[in-house]
């Protein structure tokens, strides 16, 4: 006895077999890999270079590039030897950039640091008078400090300021603030810095460590660690900082707190489009 096969009702979409669905997913993944490879090659590259980047034959890559060109995500120059990101890819990129507000993107990092380390943490951006705290999170048992949202931090004596000092591009206004702080510093603080090149040596040490750390320098009994937040251009757009009472807060750049701060800052920077050099 044969079983009758019912035809799909009028207007119904034909069923997609699992193998067909899998092939479509694989094709989409390869297409995205080609697009990402083109972006990774600077947004313009030859067919051979793109094929090498995705480890596929030029003939296969060409088929996917044709699909991407049909959607406006890729374009080919007049000579036909180079492929470049198209207008639709630029539109998508601009939309992503508009959403990349460093403060908003970094807020989950503050919550994670508060919950995982039970430390006070904040985000600071550079203002016209120095680093300014713009977001602030405290654990259940906060440390009493006289800094809050809107507080301006020292460029030279706070971990936050030192992170800006070490990783930010040279700016005449910032340099003037640094020199002013250095000139006004008491002898005991100046003694903590290199005598011949105080700012240059401090900048080199912080860059080598990947973060700025202090103990009892800015506020007595308080230690802190700060790491920079980079945008897609590699510029510092903010600093992530955590602080605590020196008795229970280890600011060692190789310690677990500093490593956690650096890891969160790296995740935020990656979300802002930053790619660290290998």
């Amino acid at each position: 006895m044969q079983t009758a096969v019912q035809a799909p009702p009028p207007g119904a979409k034909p069923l997609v077999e699992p193998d067909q669905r899998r092939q479509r997913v694989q094709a989409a993944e390869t297409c995205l890999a080609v697009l990402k490879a083109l972006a990774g090659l600077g947004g313009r590259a030859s067919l051979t270079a793109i094929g090498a980047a995705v480890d596929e034959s030029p003939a296969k890559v060409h088929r996917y590039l044709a699909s991407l060109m049909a959607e406006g995500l890729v374009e080919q120059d007049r000579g036909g030897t180079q492929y470049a990101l198209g207008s639709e890819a630029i539109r998508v990129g601009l939309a992503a950039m508009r959403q990349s507000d460093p403060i908003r993107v970094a807020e989950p990092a503050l919550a994670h640091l508060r919950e995982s380390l039970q430390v006070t943490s904040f985000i600071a951006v550079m203002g016209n008078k120095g680093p300014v705290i713009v977001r602030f999170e405290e654990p259940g048992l906060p440390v009493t400090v006289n800094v809050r949202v809107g507080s301006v931090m020292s460029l030279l004596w706070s971990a936050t300021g030192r992170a800006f000092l070490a990783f930010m591009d040279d700016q005449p206004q910032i340099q003037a603030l640094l020199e002013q702080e250095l000139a006004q510093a008491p002898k005991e603080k100046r003694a903590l810095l290199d005598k011949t090149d105080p700012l240059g040596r401090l900048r080199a040490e912080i860059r080598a460590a990947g973060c700025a750390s202090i103990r009892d320098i800015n506020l007595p009994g308080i230690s802190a660690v700060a790491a920079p937040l980079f945008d897609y251009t590699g510029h510092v757009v903010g600093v992530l900082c955590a602080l605590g009472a020196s008795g229970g807060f280890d600011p060692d750049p190789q310690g677990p707190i500093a490593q956690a701060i650096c890891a969160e800052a790296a995740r935020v920077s990656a979300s802002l489009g930053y790619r660290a050099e290998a």
Side-chain angles (χ1 to χ4, degrees):
M1 181 178 180
Q2 294 183 344
T3 303
V5 178
Q6 290 186 342
K13 294 183 179 180
L15 295 177
V16 178
E17 296 296 332
D19 287 346
Q20 292 178 310
R21 185 180 297 111
R22 192 157 41 246
Q23 289 173 1
R24 290 182 181 180
V25 171
Q26 291 174 348
E29 290 175 348
T30 305
C31 207
L32 289 173
V34 169
L35 187 61
K36 290 168 67 175
L38 179 56
L41 290 168
R44 180 178 293 275
S46 67
L47 177 61
T48 302
I50 300 170
V54 296
D55 195 23
E56 296 284 359
S57 68
K60 184 175 181 180
V61 171
H62 181 267
R63 292 197 298 270
Y64 289 106
L65 286 170
S67 297
L68 291 168
M69 286 190 292
E71 297 298 328
L73 292 166
V74 171
E75 62 185 20
Q76 196 172 17
D77 64 16
R78 293 181 180 179
T81 60
Q82 296 278 312
Y83 294 87
L85 295 175
S87 59
E88 287 301 307
I90 295 173
R91 187 174 65 84
V92 171
L94 289 173
M97 287 169 56
R98 283 193 291 269
Q99 293 181 346
S100 295
D101 173 22
I103 300 172
R104 180 185 61 80
V105 173
E107 284 179 340
L110 294 183
H112 186 259
L113 290 171
R114 180 196 64 208
E115 295 169 3
S116 61
L117 300 179
Q118 289 296 300
V119 295
T120 298
S121 58
F122 58 82
I123 304 165
V125 298
M126 183 58 69
N128 59 354
K129 294 183 179 180
V132 181
I133 297 176
V134 292
R135 291 289 187 276
F136 196 91
E137 285 283 349
E138 291 180 307
L141 295 174
V143 177
T144 302
V145 289
N146 60 344
V147 292
R148 285 292 184 272
V149 171
S151 296
V152 179
M153 307 297 290
S154 165
L155 266 170
L156 194 53
W157 308 114
S158 72
T160 304
R162 289 186 173 190
F164 277 112
L165 157 68
F167 297 100
M168 200 171 186
D169 297 333
D170 290 335
Q171 296 183 13
Q173 181 183 0
I174 303 303
Q175 187 65 26
L177 290 172
L178 282 167
E179 292 175 356
Q180 181 181 2
E181 283 195 27
L182 186 61
Q184 296 175 350
K187 291 182 179 180
E188 59 270 20
K189 281 192 173 182
R190 288 179 62 92
L192 300 173
L193 303 174
D194 184 76
K195 293 181 180 180
T196 57
D197 186 13
L199 299 181
R201 184 65 179 272
L202 181 61
R203 180 180 286 110
E205 291 175 352
I206 295 169
R207 285 184 175 178
C211 62
S213 61
I214 62 169
R215 182 188 293 272
D216 303 330
I217 294 178
N218 191 42
L219 298 171
I222 298 296
S223 294
V225 176
L229 306 176
F230 298 99
D231 67 5
Y232 70 100
T233 66
H235 294 141
V236 175
V237 291
V239 162
L240 182 64
C241 182
L243 59 82
S246 295
F249 186 103
D250 178 15
D252 184 345
Q254 301 303 318
I257 293 178
Q259 294 302 303
I261 300 295
C262 290
E264 289 294 339
R267 277 191 282 270
V268 173
S269 297
S271 296
L272 294 172
Y274 174 68
R275 290 194 174 187
E277 295 181 0

